[in-house]
Amino acid sequence: MMKTSRFDTRLGESRSRIVSSTSVKMLLSMLSIVAASKANAQNITPIPAVRPDPNGAISAERTRAQKIFQALTAVRVPIDDARIVQMEALIRQGNLRGAAAVASKDPLFLDIQIRDTAREMSDRDETVRAPMSDFVATFIGIVRDSDTTSAKEMLTGNFYYRVDPAIIATLPTNATVRQDEAADILTSNNHYADIVSRGLSPQAILIRQSPQRISQRANNIETPVDHPDPAGLMTTRSFTGAHAVAGTNRRMVEYSFREFMCLPMTEFADADAPDDRVARDVTRTPSGSVNLYQSRCKACHGQMDGFRGAFAFLDFTNNAARIGTNVVNKMNRNQTEFPQGYVTTDNSVVNYATLGKNVDQLGWRSALTGNGMASFGKMMADSRAFSRCMVRRAFKRVCRRSPLTQEEQVVRSLADQFEIDGYHMRHMFENVAIQPQCVQ
Amino acid sequence: MKNFKEMTLSQKRGLLASTGLPMVALVLMVGFQNCSPGVVQSTKVASTGVSGPSSLDLESDTKPVTVTYSENLVVSMQQLTGVETLSARAKTAATNALPKISETGKADTVNAPMWIAVTNLGAEICLDLITAEKAVTVADNRRFFNKIDFAQGATAITDAAKDDLIRRMARNFWGRNESVAEKTLLKSTLDAAMTEPAAANQSVTAETENALLFTCAAMLSSLDAIRF
């Protein structure tokens, strides 16, 4: 299945933060695509040579159409563009959703708007400057395939998206996409970086690949195997590379909540939550104060350390995610801070974020205990917070602002509709864009 | 008139200031005073007296202005102009502009260096557009410069030709027809610029292209062309 056209020995790619020169490269390659070919469907959307109609009337519906198109794709196109004219007609018929669908079916929606939505979720910086990666590609793929894919699979899917090997076979050898599974996909970002440097349109070239894979390293040899504990985007190389490298795997919990539940730690911290899972490295007497621990440290760590068990076997070393069958050392380090603290012996997860304001804001709807990342992923995917978070992210991208406090009801009803629609991402974006308070 | 590249900052500033009435105050405030908190207010001040449809209604004034961000700016400018293949110069301008272009597009991230970069980029893309249009020998088949004779000097550009190209660019770039005030402003600034001495060794027909470049760059890099 996996075609390995050549073995690339560039194993040492460092997953450092993106620097502006990389962005520049991305931009340049994007431009060169456009130059490369317009007929080729693999390449970024062709740019229609729109002929302005100097005497044509511009109706309110036309203007609205252009704004909705721009909101959904993040790209401005001329008012006389055929896509806008088509949307105008649909708006006239009262078919706002149909109009929005013209925009959401445009390649720009996936290649620009959804790419940028994913980029903001994919690394620690949380900006649109994040690189193309397995996370971003898989996110784009899930949205593209909304008709057959529930957004819940972002946290439960046992698949990833990659460039279709059949398309790679058609590329010139001096402009290929590297695809050695170990070297270019599992231990480096080469495969995904090449999408950008070759100027390919992600929506046109990605295919779903199952199952997720991971590389085992022994004697400096990398051997890809099936992922034992897949959880959608959470177990992509880029997400684990950003949050499971070094540290204590608490960042995996923190950022899973940030990205998929839209909640920073401070917003779901709860000093009333039990703390029997708080590990030995967290002192119970910071600055000699038990009160400080009770009121501050415990509020975050009580819950976080309960979830953290999901990542007990996970590490990110030598440029790749690694999962063994043993608890990694970082889970139990610095034991002398509080020797009576919790010792991790397995990958069990306990959900203690179930009290007070968290009842409503998280809205758990499935098992509160389990094992491994897959069960943590499912817990989140089934929650109310997840569907609301997807709506919030769409709102922020499309309406160019965060929903206001008094718009919470709008968010919630959009989230309800999203669930009724089977967690259909593309339809949800359309519904957000046609909200009266979104695009004026 | 000088080539855009050779213009002094104050000349560019003059060019920027000619980008249409609703934009004038914004450009000056956002671009040159780096005074973004005033953005929302300034749109209200600027929109008084505008005839014709204005994109700045009260409702959109209630949310802060955001503009096309990051590398999407180039994608948008290409869509607006229909320039599919960028020249090496335009690519360089894009490369240089990228680090200066806001990541979020939020008003408080828009500053003077960004505005200069946007204008430079707009000018280069306009140059590509003019080159492409000039190559279309049957004037009726052009998209913007249907009433322009590229074989003649800038003084041969008639008033009707100016009106026509301003209208066409307003529609494509701004998504609306220009207002009377904007047209007057654009034309008077254009006329003023055309009375400046020509750059050395510049042919008369190059003057025509520069005149077009001037108007195109001003309109393509104005706020209404890049805002959400």
Side-chain angles (χ1 to χ4, degrees):
Chain A
M1 187 75 199
M2 196 77 64
K3 191 167 156 252
T4 50
S5 60
R6 76 185 214 227
F7 186 74
D8 193 311
T9 50
R10 264 166 282 189
L11 291 171
E13 184 227 34
S14 82
R15 236 205 127 279
S16 60
R17 292 177 169 204
I18 186 156
V19 291
S20 59
S21 70
T22 317
S23 309
V24 166
K25 264 193 283 173
M26 285 168 47
L27 174 68
L28 274 181
S29 57
M30 195 144 161
L31 301 175
S32 59
I33 313 165
V34 170
S37 146
K38 53 175 161 179
N40 197 333
Q42 285 154 222
N43 293 346
I44 283 227
T45 332
I47 293 164
V50 175
R51 177 178 283 275
D53 171 7
N55 305 313
I58 298 177
S59 67
E61 291 87 357
R62 179 81 71 89
T63 302
R64 180 114 201 256
Q66 190 200 33
K67 288 182 177 179
I68 292 176
F69 188 94
Q70 186 181 9
L72 276 165
T73 63
V75 177
R76 227 178 132 85
V77 300
I79 199 94
D80 294 315
D81 187 292
R83 294 165 285 190
I84 306 304
V85 176
Q86 189 192 354
M87 287 170 69
E88 175 192 26
L90 290 161
I91 295 174
R92 282 238 166 94
Q93 293 160 19
N95 186 357
L96 266 181
R97 263 293 297 286
V102 172
S104 75
K105 289 199 178 104
D106 194 274
L108 290 171
F109 172 68
L110 295 164
D111 283 350
I112 307 288
Q113 181 71 283
I114 295 301
R115 174 201 66 192
D116 290 349
T117 307
R119 293 208 284 196
E120 287 179 338
M121 297 168 70
S122 69
D123 73 2
R124 273 182 94 163
D125 288 350
E126 302 179 311
T127 74
V128 296
R129 304 257 198 235
M132 175 56 70
S133 62
D134 55 349
F135 184 104
V136 176
T138 302
F139 192 99
I140 294 172
I142 289 172
V143 178
R144 183 193 64 189
D145 299 341
S146 287
D147 287 347
T148 52
T149 311
S150 155
K152 283 182 167 192
E153 297 207 48
M154 286 181 192
L155 289 164
T156 62
N158 184 11
F159 57 75
Y160 65 103
Y161 280 73
R162 51 155 294 158
V163 182
D164 185 346
I167 288 175
I168 297 178
T170 67
L171 298 174
T173 44
N174 65 351
T176 192
V177 170
R178 289 168 285 175
Q179 57 174 335
D180 182 88
E181 190 184 18
D184 302 320
I185 298 177
L186 296 175
T187 67
S188 81
N189 196 44
N190 290 345
H191 181 73
Y192 297 96
D194 287 351
I195 294 176
V196 178
S197 59
R198 300 312 178 203
L200 301 169
S201 158
Q203 55 83 29
I205 53 148
L206 293 171
I207 53 155
R208 181 182 295 199
Q209 183 87 36
S210 283
Q212 281 195 6
R213 304 269 284 171
I214 197 162
S215 192
Q216 284 180 344
R217 186 180 172 90
N219 303 321
N220 290 338
I221 307 281
E222 297 283 351
T223 310
V225 296
D226 288 355
H227 199 299
D229 188 15
L233 298 170
M234 203 165 63
T235 46
T236 53
R237 175 177 181 274
S238 38
F239 199 75
T240 50
H243 310 305
V245 66
T248 52
N249 281 358
R250 289 180 172 105
R251 234 161 47 230
M252 285 296 288
V253 178
E254 181 192 11
Y255 277 82
S256 295
F257 269 86
R258 286 182 74 88
E259 312 308 349
F260 301 107
M261 312 288 265
C262 297
L263 285 170
M265 297 271 348
T266 45
E267 281 180 35
F268 70 98
D270 176 9
D272 292 334
D275 69 342
D276 59 287
R277 282 278 181 147
V278 178
R280 294 175 294 183
D281 61 345
V282 177
T283 174
R284 302 320 196 249
T285 50
S287 321
S289 161
V290 178
N291 282 347
L292 186 58
Y293 167 79
Q294 289 289 345
S295 63
R296 301 241 333 126
C297 320
K298 181 185 161 212
C300 284
H301 281 271
Q303 300 168 85
M304 179 169 55
D305 288 16
F307 290 119
R308 182 170 72 132
F311 307 101
F313 302 155
L314 175 72
D315 210 345
F316 191 91
T317 56
N318 290 100
N319 296 310
R322 314 286 176 182
I323 298 178
T325 45
N326 296 320
V327 174
V328 294
N329 287 338
K330 58 181 165 178
M331 297 292 294
N332 287 317
R333 77 174 193 206
N334 291 344
Q335 345 182 332
T336 53
E337 286 293 336
F338 185 69
Q340 303 91 308
Y342 182 76
V343 182
T344 303
T345 55
D346 57 20
N347 66 350
S348 60
V349 186
V350 180
N351 184 341
Y352 283 148
T354 56
L355 306 172
K357 65 180 180 200
N358 284 338
V359 173
D360 176 64
Q361 83 172 351
L362 295 170
W364 304 108
R365 289 180 290 193
S366 57
L368 297 175
T369 57
N371 283 85
M373 297 183 279
S375 69
F376 179 46
K378 182 170 178 348
M379 224 180 261
M380 286 195 291
D382 288 340
S383 73
R384 284 273 182 191
F386 171 69
S387 44
R388 289 174 197 154
C389 178
M390 291 301 111
V391 168
R392 271 182 232 286
R393 290 197 170 276
F395 194 104
K396 193 161 172 233
R397 299 282 328 159
V398 171
C399 316
R400 312 287 305 151
R401 63 174 176 84
S402 295
L404 307 169
T405 326
Q406 64 264 34
E407 288 169 326
E408 180 64 17
Q409 216 32 62
V410 177
V411 170
R412 291 189 174 207
S413 63
L414 283 163
D416 289 346
Q417 190 59 47
F418 177 45
E419 293 183 8
I420 291 165
D421 291 346
Y423 292 79
H424 193 295
M425 285 293 281
R426 195 158 37 76
H427 288 170
M428 185 270 284
F429 268 79
E430 291 161 8
N431 278 331
V432 169
I434 64 175
Q435 291 304 305
Q437 57 272 79
C438 183
V439 179
Q440 268 118 18
Chain B
M1 182 180 43
K2 290 179 183 156
N3 187 302
F4 182 83
K5 281 244 148 176
E6 290 144 16
M7 291 167 82
T8 63
L9 184 61
S10 72
Q11 284 169 320
K12 283 182 179 170
R13 193 167 165 153
L15 186 151
L16 284 166
S18 73
T19 54
L21 202 59
M23 286 72 66
V24 174
L26 280 167
V27 168
L28 293 178
M29 293 196 72
V30 177
F32 297 102
Q33 293 175 12
N34 198 4
C35 180
S36 42
V39 163
V40 171
Q41 222 183 346
S42 69
T43 60
K44 286 176 181 153
V45 174
S47 58
T48 50
V50 178
S51 55
S54 166
S55 63
L56 294 158
D57 52 18
L58 262 175
E59 275 175 341
S60 61
D61 272 0
T62 59
K63 72 177 176 185
V65 173
T66 67
V67 299
T68 312
Y69 61 92
S70 196
E71 71 253 45
N72 304 351
L73 179 67
V74 188
V75 179
S76 285
M77 282 188 169
Q78 284 188 280
Q79 292 276 346
L80 298 181
T81 53
V83 170
E84 186 152 33
T85 309
L86 293 183
S87 62
R89 279 178 60 152
K91 285 181 192 174
T92 305
T95 306
N96 295 340
L98 190 60
K100 295 174 188 135
I101 294 171
S102 162
E103 230 170 56
T104 58
K106 293 211 176 90
D108 58 2
T109 64
V110 175
N111 53 27
M114 166 163 168
W115 220 269
I116 300 292
V118 168
T119 311
N120 278 323
L121 177 61
E124 293 299 346
I125 292 179
C126 280
L127 207 53
D128 289 354
L129 173 65
I130 292 162
T131 308
E133 287 269 278
K134 191 181 157 189
V136 180
T137 43
V138 180
D140 278 350
N141 292 343
R142 295 189 192 132
R143 297 184 296 116
F144 294 96
F145 307 124
N146 306 52
K147 291 189 160 54
I148 299 296
D149 185 348
F150 282 96
Q152 298 213 43
T155 46
I157 304 176
T158 63
D159 209 47
K162 286 175 196 164
D163 288 353
D164 183 66
L165 69 89
I166 288 170
R167 165 59 56 86
R168 286 167 184 270
M169 291 195 287
R171 285 184 77 97
N172 259 37
F173 302 171
W174 298 346
R176 59 183 176 83
N177 293 338
E178 78 291 348
S179 68
V180 174
E182 286 164 348
K183 185 160 72 179
T184 310
L185 192 57
L186 275 165
K187 280 162 78 175
S188 68
T189 321
L190 176 60
D191 291 341
M194 279 164 56
T195 59
E196 278 189 31
N201 306 326
Q202 194 163 271
S203 68
V204 199
T205 52
E207 291 259 297
T208 299
E209 288 166 43
N210 280 346
L212 302 180
L213 176 61
F214 188 91
T215 309
C216 176
M219 295 179 73
L220 184 58
S221 51
S222 70
L223 186 74
D224 264 18
I226 71 168
R227 66 177 291 166
F228 263 86

